[in-house]
Amino acid sequence: MISAQFTKGNGGLYRYYRCTRKHGECTESYIQEKELQKQIYERAQKIVLPTEWTNEMLMHLESEEEKESKSVDVLAQDINQKILSVQEKLDKLLEGYLDNLIDEESYKTKKEHLINQKNTLKHEKDQLQKTRMSSWIEPTRDFIYTLIQAKNLASSESLQEIPQLLQKVGTNHLISAKTVNFDFREPYGFTAGFLGSIPNPAARFAGASARRGGSAGGFSDSERDFSESPVWCPIFENARTYFSRKT
């Protein structure tokens, strides 16, 4: 556990961080707040993407969201039509029974069968709505915005953003020998590993942009379907897979 402590010096008030010593004596030294911020920022750079990448990822996400929404709407309409069809059969069955065209036992048997069909369809519709609500879309959008937040961390004047970002992207936080360290949670861990495998992500994107005509965001209007698998595609697909499994 780490706690903050204030001290005066050189005409100002400074904040340091140290071990809370909740579990006994600790020999770890204090670390100054500015140094702590600097190290966290440097660590966070491992998941920072070029602005063009995050812009394209958000655009692609909007396209995927639209496709999924249309797909769910089509399935919902199909279920609604089936429910109406079953209800029509129930109405006709009742009319036949009232007109003495069907005996009571047959009426009850067929009615039970149709009601079961109707309830099953309603359950499918409810599950479809839950699928819409628990989609991977929103977690992936939050993931992309977190990557943007990591990039803006250095220019942020709000110290609250630092612990918020750390809780979201990292785990096993540790300060030892005045050095900050933490492991990246998924899917941020994959992002850090992927970026680490690229010598110069920004330069590679610039090259891809030039090959595609140098349009805003790196793609010409005719290539907005991302059919050529942009450099950031593995990061996006890994996030999609990760959040799809969680939902």
Side-chain angles (χ1 to χ4, degrees):
M1 296 289 291
I2 304 297
S3 61
Q5 181 172 324
F6 293 89
T7 184
K8 292 182 179 180
N10 297 325
L13 184 65
Y14 298 88
R15 179 156 52 186
Y16 293 81
Y17 290 84
R18 64 171 178 81
C19 175
T20 58
R21 298 187 175 93
K22 276 193 172 183
H23 301 290
E25 189 64 27
C26 179
T27 59
E28 291 294 340
S29 303
Y30 295 89
I31 182 170
Q32 192 174 353
E33 184 174 67
K34 287 186 178 180
E35 176 62 21
L36 181 66
Q37 286 180 261
K38 175 177 175 292
Q39 290 189 31
I40 292 174
Y41 169 73
E42 290 175 350
R43 180 76 172 150
Q45 294 311 290
K46 293 182 179 294
I47 59 170
V48 168
L49 306 184
T51 300
E52 292 87 349
W53 290 22
T54 51
N55 287 343
E56 294 286 0
M57 289 169 73
L58 288 171
M59 184 184 303
H60 185 53
L61 183 66
E62 289 180 5
S63 175
E64 292 297 297
E65 183 177 24
E66 184 177 351
K67 290 178 184 177
E68 289 216 350
S69 179
K70 288 181 179 179
S71 177
V72 170
D73 288 341
V74 169
L75 290 173
Q77 290 176 5
D78 181 58
I79 292 175
N80 284 335
Q81 288 297 323
K82 290 179 179 179
I83 291 175
L84 287 175
S85 176
V86 173
Q87 185 58 52
E88 288 177 0
K89 291 179 181 179
L90 281 168
D91 293 340
K92 289 181 179 179
L93 180 64
L94 178 59
E95 289 177 4
Y97 174 67
L98 294 176
D99 292 338
N100 294 319
L101 298 177
I102 185 173
D103 62 86
E104 183 174 359
E105 184 176 350
S106 297
Y107 167 72
K108 288 181 178 180
T109 301
K110 292 182 178 180
K111 179 182 178 182
E112 182 180 4
H113 176 69
L114 290 171
I115 288 178
N116 287 337
Q117 278 189 354
K118 187 175 180 180
N119 288 337
T120 298
L121 289 168
K122 285 183 176 180
H123 177 71
E124 289 179 8
K125 185 177 179 180
D126 289 341
Q127 291 299 115
L128 192 62
Q129 295 303 321
K130 289 180 181 179
T131 299
R132 186 200 297 266
M133 294 174 63
S134 62
S135 171
W136 60 273
I137 295 289
E138 285 307 319
T140 302
R141 180 178 286 114
D142 181 67
F143 164 71
I144 298 172
Y145 280 127
T146 300
L147 298 179
I148 295 172
Q149 182 186 3
K151 183 174 184 178
N152 298 333
L153 194 63
S155 59
S156 174
E157 296 181 358
S158 174
L159 295 178
Q160 292 182 345
E161 288 192 25
I162 294 177
Q164 290 173 357
L165 182 70
L166 281 179
Q167 288 297 323
K168 185 174 289 187
V169 308
T171 184
N172 299 327
H173 308 94
L174 178 67
I175 298 178
S176 180
K178 293 189 176 183
T179 301
V180 177
N181 195 20
F182 58 87
D183 298 324
F184 284 107
R185 300 179 188 273
E186 291 302 334
Y188 303 98
F190 177 88
T191 303
F194 179 78
L195 292 177
S197 69
I198 302 177
N200 192 335
R204 182 168 175 180
F205 179 88
S209 174
R211 289 193 299 274
R212 290 180 171 90
S215 63
F219 295 87
S220 65
D221 291 339
S222 62
E223 294 171 317
R224 292 294 179 179
D225 60 352
F226 306 103
S227 57
E228 295 185 18
S229 296
V231 183
W232 47 258
C233 190
I235 296 175
F236 186 94
E237 290 304 320
N238 176 73
R240 181 212 290 261
T241 301
Y242 176 78
F243 291 122
S244 294
R245 288 174 178 172
K246 289 198 70 175
T247 57

